[in-house]
Amino acid sequence: MRRIGTLLCLFGFVLGCATASLGTPAFAQDLQDTYRAIESGVEKEYPVLEELYLHLHANPELSFHEKETSAHLAKQLSDIGFRVTSGVGGYGVVAILENGAGPTVMVRADMDALPILEETGLPYASKVVVTDDQGMEVPVMHACGHDIHMTCLIGTARLLYSMRSKWSGTLELILQPAEERSGGSKAMLEDGLYTRFPVPDYALALHVDGLEAGKVGYTSGFAMASIDSVDIKVRGIGGHGASPNSTKDPIVTAAQIILALQTIVSREISPFDPAVITVGSIHGGTKHNIIGKEVDLQLTVRSYTDANRAHLLSSIKRIAANTARAAGIPENLLPIVTVRDEYTPALYNSPELVDRTVKALADFIGEENVIEGGPAMAGEDFARYGRQEQKVPIFMMRIGSFSKERIAESIQRGGAPLRHVHTGFYFP
């Protein structure tokens, strides 16, 4: 659990130095004194934060159901001295601390957990089971590190409140629901995050990573992909499996569509532009000797630029329709392509903010512990905070979450990869 203190120290320092580097002379007068103050602050706050982490880990809540988590953390922020508003975009929380003239720096942490059975065997492992929005009974676990993110945010609040004499400006802390379903940031923005509350000059966030604890990873510019979920309903004319000539088999058509979709990335998108089309689900038919009427496909579509996203989605529709036409499917039974309302834009880390923050981190923890990484095709709805008309510079860093001991154990097992996020075995 000591590693959580390390994460907190890093994030609290990043926020402070981001504020300082943007014109807060009082903070920057004696950085060594500031470093010592942060380190001693972490030591002082650690018992409270460890208790909070254990509570959060053992009591996870699904996306859009973060009622108790939201209330618990809102009270903590209020008790610290922040002006707190709850119920923003559902269970979102906005906490404001005004501390004189200076920039407004926003820090965001996500609150939701995943429908995953925890298999860590930890004494504080989640045993929560709930009924989800589809009426199914599911286990719930913080398998993506959001419990760590929230603990870091509360620790940052406690540290920077206690260090008010060393910085000036406005600190805006955001506890966001439903990151895992890509709707939380959208809901908070639509509920007036940038109109009811100060528009930040800069916005920061973190995410746990497979790095060693005590190290920070970063990517300047495009860091994570845009995400679209696409459904394709392939239709045909059913009949007996012994007489396929009298049918229009949607399973064969679906198979041809799946293969043809792969040519979009390989033949229509530049090799220098990352893009992904993955068919993650295919469902059709009921029995060996029956040719059914429909096949359902589910796709995830990922890219970085708006132009490539539009091209991918347009090509999916074109290929689905024309493959069906080539198979002799009547016009009134062409595939139905639905782009779900679950779009997450690509995450673009502001290079200027990245440079300032990385320099501050390197000064504090050493250049060898600040690691530049490449972009990923995973997604993150933190991106939306930088996509609004205000064009807020944003930066999400990656925080190491594995101890040296666990990494060494992995190597001893022959280099088997550590179990990471979105599995029932993840813990820091």
Side-chain angles (χ1 to χ4, degrees):
M1 294 302 300
R2 199 70 197 165
R3 293 182 294 282
I4 294 174
T6 303
L7 302 182
L8 163 69
C9 182
L10 293 176
F11 196 45
F13 176 75
V14 166
L15 176 58
C17 277
T19 306
S21 67
L22 301 172
T24 312
F27 196 98
Q29 283 175 359
D30 187 350
L31 286 179
Q32 291 302 318
D33 178 62
T34 298
Y35 300 163
R36 289 190 293 269
I38 291 173
E39 290 172 339
S40 63
V42 170
E43 292 295 327
K44 178 182 177 182
E45 301 292 350
Y46 182 80
V48 172
L49 296 170
E50 180 181 35
E51 182 180 357
L52 173 62
Y53 170 79
L54 295 174
H55 171 82
L56 293 171
H57 188 88
N59 295 277
E61 294 178 295
L62 291 176
S63 303
F64 296 112
H65 295 273
E66 307 91 340
K67 179 180 179 180
E68 299 302 327
T69 303
S70 172
H72 186 77
L73 297 179
K75 184 178 186 307
Q76 292 219 3
L77 289 166
S78 180
D79 289 345
I80 293 169
F82 284 72
R83 185 175 77 251
V84 176
T85 304
S86 298
V88 181
Y91 290 116
V93 176
V94 179
I96 305 292
L97 178 62
E98 295 175 338
N99 190 39
T104 296
V105 178
M106 186 180 96
V107 180
R108 172 273 212 168
D110 33 15
M111 296 186 289
D112 53 331
L114 289 159
I116 292 177
L117 176 67
E118 179 155 1
E119 300 179 76
T120 62
L122 296 168
Y124 54 91
S126 169
K127 297 178 175 60
V128 174
V129 177
V130 302
T131 301
D132 67 11
D133 291 341
Q134 287 72 46
M136 297 179 60
E137 193 174 82
V138 295
V140 188
M141 176 194 175
H142 270 300
C144 199
H146 295 186
D147 45 357
I148 298 175
H149 304 173
M150 291 182 280
T151 302
C152 288
L153 182 137
I154 295 298
T156 299
R158 296 177 72 92
L159 277 181
L160 290 180
Y161 186 87
S162 69
M163 298 172 64
R164 298 189 305 285
S165 63
K166 294 184 175 294
W167 62 275
S168 65
T170 298
L171 177 57
E172 184 173 359
L173 302 182
I174 305 298
L175 287 161
Q176 181 203 300
E179 184 276 328
E180 295 293 351
R181 289 177 58 180
S182 301
S185 61
K186 181 180 179 182
M188 292 191 75
L189 287 163
E190 289 179 348
D191 199 15
L193 181 62
Y194 282 179
T195 55
R196 297 164 54 192
F197 307 96
V199 176
D201 295 291
Y202 302 90
L204 299 169
L206 60 76
H207 205 295
V208 296
D209 196 87
L211 295 169
E212 178 187 328
K215 298 184 183 296
V216 177
Y218 71 95
T219 302
S220 186
F222 282 115
M224 303 183 81
S226 68
I227 303 175
D228 281 285
S229 296
V230 179
D231 296 332
I232 304 178
K233 183 176 288 295
V234 182
R235 299 182 292 176
I237 299 172
H240 199 292
S243 305
N245 56 297
S246 65
T247 73
K248 298 297 181 184
D249 191 340
I251 290 180
V252 174
T253 302
Q256 293 173 331
I257 289 172
I258 291 170
L259 293 176
L261 290 176
Q262 308 313 307
T263 65
I264 299 174
V265 173
S266 66
R267 291 296 179 269
E268 298 183 28
I269 300 295
S270 167
F272 299 101
D273 292 334
V276 170
I277 297 177
T278 294
V279 180
S281 172
I282 175 170
H283 291 275
T286 57
K287 201 175 186 305
H288 309 71
N289 61 350
I290 299 174
I291 293 176
K293 297 190 299 183
E294 295 179 348
V295 175
D296 291 313
L297 306 179
Q298 293 182 319
L299 288 63
T300 185
V301 181
R302 300 172 184 238
S303 62
Y304 283 126
T305 68
D306 291 342
N308 274 350
R309 174 185 178 241
H311 185 97
L312 292 170
L313 296 177
S314 174
S315 294
I316 288 170
K317 294 175 181 178
R318 184 194 79 237
I319 284 177
N322 289 329
T323 302
R325 287 189 177 102
I329 304 295
E331 289 291 316
N332 65 321
L333 292 178
L334 292 181
I336 300 172
V337 179
T338 303
V339 180
R340 291 193 180 185
D341 187 22
E342 298 176 357
Y343 166 62
T344 298
L347 173 65
Y348 184 84
N349 285 329
S350 168
E352 181 184 3
L353 181 58
V354 171
D355 289 345
R356 289 173 169 172
T357 307
V358 166
K359 182 181 184 304
L361 277 167
D363 288 344
F364 185 49
I365 64 174
E367 291 184 3
E368 70 279 7
N369 293 315
V370 184
I371 301 169
E372 184 173 9
M377 297 308 289
E380 208 348 303
D381 77 348
F382 177 67
R384 283 199 181 91
Y385 298 113
R387 293 274 298 204
Q388 306 304 300
E389 60 182 349
Q390 294 85 356
K391 301 299 181 186
V392 175
I394 65 174
F395 175 31
M396 170 173 277
M397 67 203 76
R398 317 296 293 188
I399 301 296
S401 63
F402 290 125
S403 67
K404 289 183 179 180
E405 293 76 16
R406 290 188 70 199
I407 294 174
E409 289 173 5
S410 175
I411 295 172
Q412 290 173 358
R413 293 195 302 268
L418 289 165
R419 299 192 186 273
H420 199 31
V421 294
H422 285 226
T423 79
F425 297 93
Y426 176 73
F427 69 95

